């Protein structure tokens, strides 16, 4: 992080120093170009000034014209003496005429005009044009006449030659003076060029020296950065703006199982599917947009390992001054932290489960304590309610034994005595079951469930109530195909059936039948006890199994209102249930117990 801050600071300061350093050589280069251009222009002008053009050499033209005129005059003089003929004079006349034509053409014509000789030259040309050709029989007198006409020509050309020479000397002096001035300027420009060249050379030397120093510094920083990247225990990779991998350190290769040679230059999506999942893809896109993002505990599945790595990612943009040139990804193996977190979560869940179990145990203990308190408070009512039937059976058997002791034979006495004993034995079992129920509610003992045949328990309970209530018809309905084997506590279930039968007999209309039917489904064995009593009001059904609750039809009927409460409590201890099934014209209480096979 410190290196990144220093590099950022250097990047911020570098533009100012670079601008100052570049201003000097750029200024010198501009001056160099201006001076060099100026020197070239001046040298070109000097070259033009000192150049002698053939068409401008008027002195030679004037001299040749004067010579041609003098030779023509000389030829006419010899013609007067008879030493020259007409052909020679015609030749000399043509030469002079050609010189006039040359003076009337182009730059020579302009030069003659500048000297002010154009009028005189035109006059001489008109005179010369009179002698276009010599007439046949050219005589010495004609020659004399021609000589007199040509007398002004040599003087004219001599004057023109003098004026031309003076004019050219004046022009040459002016050009030489101008050339000297221009040469001085060229020399000054060359001195300036040399000075600016020296500045450029010095600047170039300093720039090369500074560039070498910066190259060495950059190389050292690059080597140091490479050393940091290669020696880092954290996986480091970088991508360019097109998503191609540019850096892949050894720690990354160790975590992923792919070497740098395998991934450099490839796109992230082609390296591993991990980089194509939405969180990683979005994080890289955000970094290329200039934002830093982090991801925690991302699973990385390797081809050579069954269990994934869990890694933390930090994705940051790589900048060059103000532009983003790529993204750098730091990947840290957080599998240990993930395992610790998982273990912590499991420990927390286990503790929460233990706390919940302990809370349930405490709630159950509280419920059992309250139930035990309710049972103890209603113990007298339960005794009077639950013990009445076996006591009535024993009392009835003993009364008959007393009344008919004389008429009874030994077999009948034995039968009556056995009935009384069975009732007392049932009373004993009832006392034990009541105590067991109290202990269960108090949490002192657990429910004892064993395989039982519910039909046998039902036959015993029905037989007792037939003896105790001879005026009520009690029938049991058991299909031979019914599986009557259940998982329960026989003493508790006998007490449940006794309570339900007692309740059905008690509230059945006179001369009506009470039935007990056994049937089963795949999971439970059912015992439905039905009487023909009137329907129970809807407002009483919700409180029917509450302790000490008695309905409106219980007026004049002895009881304490705990029979159904005890029946349901004992049934639920066995994993069963007691519920009300009310149809038109009858009332049915159903006992449900789990089957052995179920």
């Amino acid at each position: 992080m410190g290196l990144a801050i220093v590099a950022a600071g250097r990047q911020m300061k570098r533009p100012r120093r670079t601008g100052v350093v570049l201003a000097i050589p750029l200024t010198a280069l501009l001056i160099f170009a201006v001076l060099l251009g100026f020197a070239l222009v001046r040298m070109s002008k000097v070259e033009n000034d000192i150049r002698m053009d053939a068409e401008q050499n008027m002195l030679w033209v004037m001299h040749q014209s004067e010579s041609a005129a003098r030779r023509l005059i000389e030829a006419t003089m010899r013609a007067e003496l008879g030493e020259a003929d007409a052909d020679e004079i015609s030749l000399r006349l043509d030469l002079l005429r050609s010189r006039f034509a040359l003076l009337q053409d182009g730059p020579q014509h302009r030069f003659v005009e500048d000297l002010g000789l154009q009028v005189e030259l035109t006059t001489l040309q008109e005179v010369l044009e009179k002698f276009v050709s010599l007439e046949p029989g050219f005589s010495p007198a004609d020659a004399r006449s021609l000589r007199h006409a040509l007398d002004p020509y040599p003087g004219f050309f001599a004057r023109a030659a003098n004026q031309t020479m003076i004019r050219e000397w004046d022009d040459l002096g002016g050009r030489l003076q101008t050339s000297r001035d221009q040469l001085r300027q060229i020399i000054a420009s060359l001195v300036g060029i040399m000075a600016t060249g020296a500045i450029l050379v010095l600047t170039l030397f300093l720039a090369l020296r500074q560039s070498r120093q910066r190259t060495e510094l950059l190389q050292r920083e690059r080597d140091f950065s490479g050393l940091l990247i290669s020696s880092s225990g954290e996986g480091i990779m970088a991508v360019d703006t097109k998503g191609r991998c540019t850096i892949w350190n050894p720690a990354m290769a160790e975590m992923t199982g792919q070497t740098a040679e395998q991934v450099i230059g490839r796109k992230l999506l082609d390296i591993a599917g991990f980089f194509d999942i939405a969180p990683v893809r979005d994080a890289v896109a955000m970094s290329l947009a200039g934002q830093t993002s982090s991801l925690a505990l991302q699973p990385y599945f390797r081809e050579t390992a069954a269990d994934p790595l869990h890694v933390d990612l930090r994705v940051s943009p790589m900048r060059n001054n103000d532009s983003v040139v790529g993204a750098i990804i730091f990947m840290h193996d957080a599998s240990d932290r993930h395992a610790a977190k998982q273990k912590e979560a499991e420990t927390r869940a286990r503790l929460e489960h233990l706390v919940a179990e302990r809370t349930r145990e405490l709630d159950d203990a509280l419920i059992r304590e309250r139930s035990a308190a309710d049972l103890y408070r209603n113990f007298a009512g339960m005794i009077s309610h639950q013990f009445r039937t076996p006591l009535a059976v024993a009392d009835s058997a003993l009364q008959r034994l007393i009344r008919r002791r004389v008429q009874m034979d030994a077999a009948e006495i034995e039968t009556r005595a056995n009935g009384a004993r069975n009732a007392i034995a049932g009373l004993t079992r009832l006392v034990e079951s009541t105590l067991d129920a109290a202990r269960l509610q108090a949490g002192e003992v657990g429910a004892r469930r064993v395989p039982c045949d519910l039909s046998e328990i039902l036959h015993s309970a029905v037989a007792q109530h037939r003896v105790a209530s001879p005026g009520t018809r009690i029938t049991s309905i058991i299909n031979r195909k019914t599986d009557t084997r259940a998982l329960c506590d026989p003493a508790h279930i006998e007490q449940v059936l006794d309570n339900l039968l007692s309740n059905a007999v008690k509230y059945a209309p006179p001369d009506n039948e009470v039935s007990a039917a056994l049937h089963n489904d795949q999971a439970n064995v059912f015992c439905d006890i039905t009487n023909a009593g009137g329907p129970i009001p809807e407002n009483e059904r919700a409180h029917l199994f509450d302790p000490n609750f008695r309905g409106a039809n219980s007026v004049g009927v002895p009881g304490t209102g705990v029979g159904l409460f005890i029946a349901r409590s004992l049934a639920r201890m066995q994993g069963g249930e007691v519920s009300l099934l009310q149809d038109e014209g009858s009332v049915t209480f159903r006992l449900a117990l789990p089957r052995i096979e179920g």
Side-chain angles (χ1 to χ4, degrees):
M1 184 63 72
L3 289 174
I5 294 175
V6 171
R10 289 178 180 173
Q11 289 179 354
M12 293 176 64
K13 295 178 181 178
R14 190 170 297 167
R16 297 180 181 177
R17 294 182 58 189
T18 304
V20 174
V21 172
L22 290 178
I24 297 174
L26 288 177
T27 303
L29 186 61
L30 180 62
I31 295 174
F32 180 86
V34 171
L35 291 177
L36 183 60
F38 179 77
L40 291 175
V41 171
R42 290 303 184 191
M43 291 177 69
S44 176
K45 292 187 67 176
V46 170
E47 190 272 336
N48 289 329
D49 290 340
I50 65 176
R51 186 178 60 187
M52 298 295 292
D53 294 332
E55 65 272 14
Q56 294 180 357
N57 196 351
M58 293 299 297
L59 181 61
W60 178 85
V61 174
M62 295 299 181
H63 175 71
Q64 292 296 326
S65 298
E66 180 184 2
S67 177
R70 290 186 182 279
R71 289 175 179 172
L72 179 58
I73 292 174
E74 182 181 353
T76 57
M77 291 176 68
R78 285 191 292 110
E80 290 178 8
L81 296 176
E83 297 178 356
D85 55 6
D87 293 334
E88 183 179 357
I89 294 173
S90 297
L91 176 62
R92 297 297 180 183
L93 186 62
D94 290 337
L95 287 175
L96 181 60
R97 190 179 289 111
S98 66
R99 297 293 185 263
F100 270 90
L102 181 62
L103 289 175
Q104 292 293 337
D105 184 28
Q108 292 81 2
H109 179 73
R110 290 193 297 271
F111 187 82
V112 171
E113 288 181 349
D114 291 340
L115 292 178
L117 301 176
Q118 180 62 38
V119 176
E120 190 173 357
L121 181 64
T122 303
T123 301
L124 292 176
Q125 187 175 4
E126 291 176 353
V127 173
L128 188 61
E129 289 177 354
K130 294 178 181 180
F131 301 95
V132 176
S133 62
L134 297 178
E135 297 179 359
F138 186 76
S139 64
D142 295 329
R144 186 182 301 108
S145 176
L146 178 61
R147 181 173 57 82
H148 289 301
L150 295 175
D151 284 339
Y153 283 77
F156 169 75
F157 286 115
R159 292 193 307 274
N162 290 331
Q163 292 181 8
T164 299
M165 184 181 65
I166 294 170
R167 175 68 177 271
E168 287 185 354
W169 277 105
D170 291 340
D171 291 342
L172 179 60
R175 287 198 300 271
L176 290 176
Q177 183 64 37
T178 303
S179 298
R180 282 194 296 271
D181 295 339
Q182 291 176 350
L183 286 175
R184 293 191 190 97
Q185 294 175 357
I186 291 171
I187 292 171
S189 299
L190 292 175
V191 172
I193 289 173
M194 293 177 62
T196 53
I199 294 174
L200 287 175
V201 171
L202 180 61
T203 304
L204 179 61
F205 174 76
L206 295 177
L208 289 175
R209 182 180 178 183
Q210 188 176 10
S211 176
R212 187 180 299 108
Q213 292 175 351
R214 288 182 178 177
T215 302
E216 293 176 355
L217 179 60
L218 180 61
Q219 186 64 37
R220 287 197 299 270
E221 290 182 354
R222 183 178 299 170
D223 294 341
F224 182 67
S225 299
L227 180 62
L228 286 179
I229 291 174
S230 61
S231 61
S232 174
E234 190 174 38
I236 300 175
M237 65 175 297
V239 296
D240 58 16
T241 54
K242 295 182 179 180
R244 292 190 296 262
C245 180
T246 57
I247 295 176
W248 190 272
N249 73 335
M252 199 67 146
E254 183 178 356
M255 279 191 286
T256 60
Q258 300 186 70
T259 62
E261 291 77 9
Q262 294 175 328
V263 300
I264 294 296
R266 296 174 60 191
K267 289 190 175 182
L268 286 181
L269 305 183
D270 300 331
I271 295 174
F274 171 78
F275 299 106
D276 195 26
I277 62 176
V280 178
R281 190 172 60 247
D282 294 343
V284 174
M286 290 174 59
S287 297
L288 293 177
Q291 300 180 10
T292 300
S293 57
S294 299
L295 299 174
L297 298 179
Q298 298 295 315
Y300 186 94
F301 293 89
R302 298 171 295 178
E303 295 181 357
T304 58
D307 297 330
L309 286 176
H310 286 82
V311 296
D312 292 338
L313 295 179
R314 187 173 70 257
V315 189
S316 303
M318 291 195 303
R319 300 181 182 274
N320 182 16
N321 294 332
D322 294 331
S323 62
V324 177
V325 296
I328 185 165
I329 303 172
F330 299 91
M331 191 163 77
H332 174 69
D333 186 359
S335 299
D336 294 340
R337 182 161 58 88
H338 177 265
K341 195 171 183 179
Q342 289 291 105
K343 187 174 181 181
E344 180 184 358
E346 292 174 0
T347 303
R348 186 184 299 111
R350 185 168 61 253
L351 290 176
E352 290 177 355
H353 178 71
L354 292 176
V355 170
E357 288 291 335
R358 185 58 179 166
T359 302
R360 281 196 297 271
E361 291 177 0
L362 293 175
D363 292 340
D364 293 341
L366 180 60
I367 293 172
R368 287 195 298 271
E369 182 179 355
R370 291 176 178 174
S371 299
D374 292 339
L375 285 175
Y376 285 126
R377 280 197 304 270
N378 298 301
F379 187 73
M382 285 189 293
I383 292 296
S384 64
H385 183 273
Q386 299 297 328
F387 296 172
R388 182 180 295 111
T389 299
L391 288 176
V393 172
D395 181 65
S396 175
L398 292 175
Q399 285 182 7
R400 289 189 179 188
L401 185 59
I402 292 173
R403 286 196 304 267
R404 299 183 58 190
R405 63 182 179 277
V406 178
Q407 293 86 1
M408 289 183 181
D409 53 11
E412 187 177 358
I413 293 173
E414 183 179 358
T415 300
R416 298 296 181 185
N418 287 332
R421 290 189 62 193
N422 290 335
I424 294 172
L427 179 61
T428 302
R429 289 193 302 270
L430 189 57
V431 170
E432 293 176 354
S433 298
T434 304
L435 292 176
D436 289 341
R439 294 190 188 98
L440 285 172
Q441 293 292 335
E444 296 179 0
V445 294
R448 181 177 62 89
R449 295 194 298 173
V450 296
C452 298
D453 189 348
L454 194 59
S455 62
E456 296 180 358
I457 301 174
L458 180 60
H459 281 306
S460 176
V462 168
Q464 290 186 17
H465 278 277
R466 285 174 179 170
V467 174
S469 304
T472 303
R473 287 181 300 165
I474 303 175
T475 59
S476 57
I477 304 171
I478 304 175
N479 192 330
R480 285 183 296 178
K481 296 182 180 181
T482 300
D483 184 5
T484 60
R485 295 174 301 164
L487 193 63
C488 61
D489 186 333
H492 289 168
I493 295 307
E494 184 178 359
Q495 185 177 354
V496 172
L497 293 175
D498 182 71
N499 286 353
L500 295 178
L501 287 170
S502 175
N503 194 71
V505 170
K506 188 187 302 181
Y507 294 101
D511 300 329
N512 280 327
E513 182 182 16
V514 173
S515 64
L518 288 179
H519 58 96
N520 68 281
D521 60 11
Q522 294 182 352
N524 298 294
V525 180
F526 303 104
C527 180
D528 295 342
I529 298 177
T530 306
N531 66 359
I536 299 174
E538 187 67 29
N539 59 344
E540 294 183 0
R541 293 168 65 97
H543 304 284
L544 200 59
F545 294 94
D546 293 343
N548 301 318
F549 175 79
R550 304 197 73 195
N553 61 346
S554 63
V555 179
V557 179
T560 59
V562 296
L564 293 177
F565 165 72
I566 293 174
R568 171 175 277 186
S569 299
L570 293 176
R572 288 180 174 178
M573 290 180 189
Q574 314 303 308
E577 183 61 79
V578 173
S579 57
L580 172 64
L581 306 177
Q582 184 170 340
D583 297 327
E584 293 293 335
S586 64
V587 176
T588 301
F589 285 92
R590 170 173 288 180
L591 169 64
L593 292 172
R595 289 178 58 189
I596 295 177
E597 294 182 359

